[in-house]
Amino acid sequence: MMVPFLIVILLLATITFFYLQQPQFGENPSGKRLAEIEKSVHFKNDRFQNIVERPTLSEGYTMLGEMYNVVFKDYPRREPSDSLPSVKTNLKNIPADSDALVWFGHSSVFMQLEGKKILIDPVFSGKASPLPWGVRAYKGSDIYSVADMPEIDYLFISHDHYDHLDYETIVGLKDKVKHVVCGLGVGAHFERWGYKPEQIIEKDWNEKIELDDNFTIFTETSHHESGRGLLRGKTLWMSYLIQTSDLKIYISGDGGYDDRFKKIGEKFGPIDWAILECGQYDKAWQSVHNLPEEVAQAAVDLEAKNMIPVHNSKFTLGKHAWDEPLKKITQLSVNKQYRLVTPMIGEEVDLKNKHQQFKRWWENVN
């Protein structure tokens, strides 16, 4: 009886090994890149570590229990039955002297600052998984493609999970991107996918990239993880602070709540715009994804003047209703010191206009 069982196990292992060699899984750091990574104080025991390590699963939860819940329990309205409303802004026609932002759903954002065009965590393939049957974008949320993008001066990647680093999108953008900004190790994926080493700016936490006299990028911490295949923690997860001549913009990436928001606020505040992860959360994995009340507190900690909640309205990765993040953060933001900004997908945000109005566009969507 054991022989057939072992043959099946060996066959499955062989299939998995060869499947993981496909290009969408990227490349783990090696050679000189790995040698540089090993110099980082945040790389210990053969992987990157959070500043203060804590279990990914909260106390009282188990991986088997969570898998059972997702497979066998019903959670209502996890995705919209209607098509999401959107606006198709022509990114190529935004005036060069405008400081503007356009959100594409989930964590994908275009910004134009000081005439520079920036793209953050773009996912235009319509999926958040390397598997053919994986997580798909909601109807109406995937209206932009690589063809709609102008030439990009700086492509920012927060970390290498599939819903932030999308193979098909990155390959499609290759001839439009001048520079890539990412955490240590992530450049290995880009080199495998045809980007040149000189295009890639890989940084550790608490570093600075001075692009010119009026444009500086600060690489900041997060509490999260990384990995595209079976290995975890080989590449670094990031948040970013962009400082121009008259704007400070914080991009949280993914990560659970901790004192980093307070420290960043003390270091850079007040911050003009905070783009904060708010969606695909659960108390089971609270350590690596903010709950809505933590998002609101993070905006306060950052001394943010304006806050845009992202990581919602495109993919179902959590168990909550698809519109719960927007409903909750709207309630939690009443009488807060920051202005909550909730554009529709594709709607242009004027970063210099304090009085621009935004609809609660999700309220009439089933």
Side-chain angles (χ1 to χ4, degrees):
M1 292 293 293
M2 285 297 295
V3 173
F5 177 75
L6 291 173
I7 291 173
V8 169
I9 294 296
L10 180 61
L11 181 61
L12 289 173
T14 302
I15 292 170
T16 300
F17 172 80
F18 283 105
Y19 188 74
L20 290 174
Q21 305 313 304
Q22 294 184 88
Q24 65 262 37
F25 292 99
E27 190 78 29
N28 285 317
S30 60
K32 292 182 179 179
R33 176 174 278 109
L34 180 58
E36 286 300 310
I37 286 172
E38 289 172 342
K39 296 177 185 177
S40 170
V41 297
H42 305 116
F43 193 82
K44 303 170 186 175
N45 300 320
D46 203 34
R47 59 157 292 160
F48 282 106
Q49 307 284 335
N50 287 298
I51 299 297
V52 178
E53 281 295 346
R54 54 186 190 263
T56 298
L57 281 179
S58 304
E59 186 176 355
Y61 295 89
T62 65
M63 185 61 69
L64 284 177
E66 286 305 296
M67 291 172 63
Y68 176 88
N69 289 339
V70 171
V71 174
F72 295 106
K73 288 189 177 181
D74 182 40
Y75 298 93
R77 302 186 64 249
R78 290 182 70 205
E79 61 183 65
S81 56
D82 296 344
S83 181
L84 298 188
S86 60
V87 177
K88 189 71 179 283
T89 297
N90 189 332
L91 305 178
K92 299 172 184 178
N93 288 345
I94 297 175
D97 59 351
S98 294
D99 285 346
L101 178 150
V102 176
W103 174 59
F104 305 121
H106 205 60
S107 296
S108 303
V109 175
F110 170 85
M111 285 194 291
Q112 184 171 282
L113 301 170
E114 302 274 345
K116 294 178 175 62
K117 293 175 173 60
I118 296 166
L119 192 57
I120 302 163
D121 289 358
V123 179
F124 301 134
S125 68
K127 57 187 181 181
S129 166
L131 303 174
W133 59 86
V135 179
R136 295 286 169 171
Y138 302 154
K139 291 181 291 185
S141 71
D142 209 32
I143 62 170
Y144 280 87
S145 69
V146 167
D148 296 314
M149 298 299 112
E151 284 198 355
I152 300 299
D153 294 295
Y154 296 96
L155 170 62
F156 282 65
I157 299 296
S158 64
H159 64 297
D160 68 1
H161 285 162
Y162 301 103
D163 58 321
H164 294 260
L165 180 60
D166 180 55
Y167 165 71
E168 292 178 26
T169 300
I170 298 304
V171 171
L173 285 169
K174 187 171 61 173
D175 295 332
K176 292 189 173 188
V177 171
K178 296 179 183 177
H179 302 282
V180 176
V181 180
C182 59
L184 290 174
V186 177
H189 301 310
F190 280 88
E191 286 193 34
R192 180 173 184 185
W193 298 337
Y195 283 69
K196 299 175 182 177
E198 56 267 27
Q199 289 180 270
I200 303 167
I201 304 171
E202 279 177 271
K203 291 294 181 179
D204 203 341
W205 292 330
N206 302 313
E207 294 197 273
K208 181 167 66 171
I209 309 166
E210 293 186 354
L211 303 181
D212 60 34
D213 292 339
N214 297 319
F215 203 103
T216 304
I217 301 164
F218 297 89
T219 58
E220 297 296 325
T221 65
S222 179
H223 186 102
H224 201 54
E225 57 185 7
S226 65
R228 294 178 71 83
L230 298 177
L231 299 177
R232 292 289 179 266
K234 301 299 182 182
T235 62
L236 188 59
W237 43 99
M238 308 287 279
S239 67
Y240 297 100
L241 190 289
I242 300 174
Q243 184 170 346
T244 70
S245 57
D246 53 6
L247 284 176
K248 284 179 278 190
I249 301 172
Y250 178 68
I251 305 156
S252 75
D254 283 5
Y257 182 82
D258 60 20
D259 65 355
R260 75 181 181 280
F261 297 110
K262 188 73 173 176
K263 290 178 178 178
I264 291 169
E266 291 170 351
K267 184 177 178 182
F268 296 106
I271 288 170
D272 297 287
W273 290 85
I275 304 169
L276 300 183
E277 175 206 20
C278 182
Q280 318 321 315
Y281 50 76
D282 195 291
K283 287 188 176 180
W285 55 83
Q286 186 176 352
S287 72
V288 291
H289 288 287
N290 291 321
L291 300 179
E293 53 268 32
E294 294 172 322
V295 177
Q297 185 58 52
V300 172
D301 291 349
L302 289 163
E303 301 179 38
K305 297 177 183 178
N306 305 276
M307 189 263 278
I308 300 178
V310 299
H311 210 247
N312 60 71
S313 304
K314 190 164 188 172
F315 302 117
T316 294
L317 301 170
K319 300 194 290 287
H320 56 69
W322 77 269
D323 55 356
E324 181 184 290
L326 293 167
K327 288 181 176 180
K328 284 196 170 184
I329 196 60
T330 298
Q331 295 166 354
L332 290 161
S333 297
V334 174
N335 297 325
K336 289 293 195 298
Q337 66 190 42
Y338 60 84
R339 178 178 67 135
L340 181 67
V341 175
T342 54
M344 282 189 289
I345 289 172
E347 184 176 5
E348 182 178 346
V349 179
D350 183 346
L351 296 175
K352 296 291 183 64
N353 185 350
K354 299 178 182 178
H355 306 292
Q356 185 179 1
Q357 298 294 309
F358 300 91
K359 299 177 181 178
R360 296 183 183 181
W361 57 264
W362 60 90
E363 289 188 336
N364 295 317
V365 181
N366 293 318

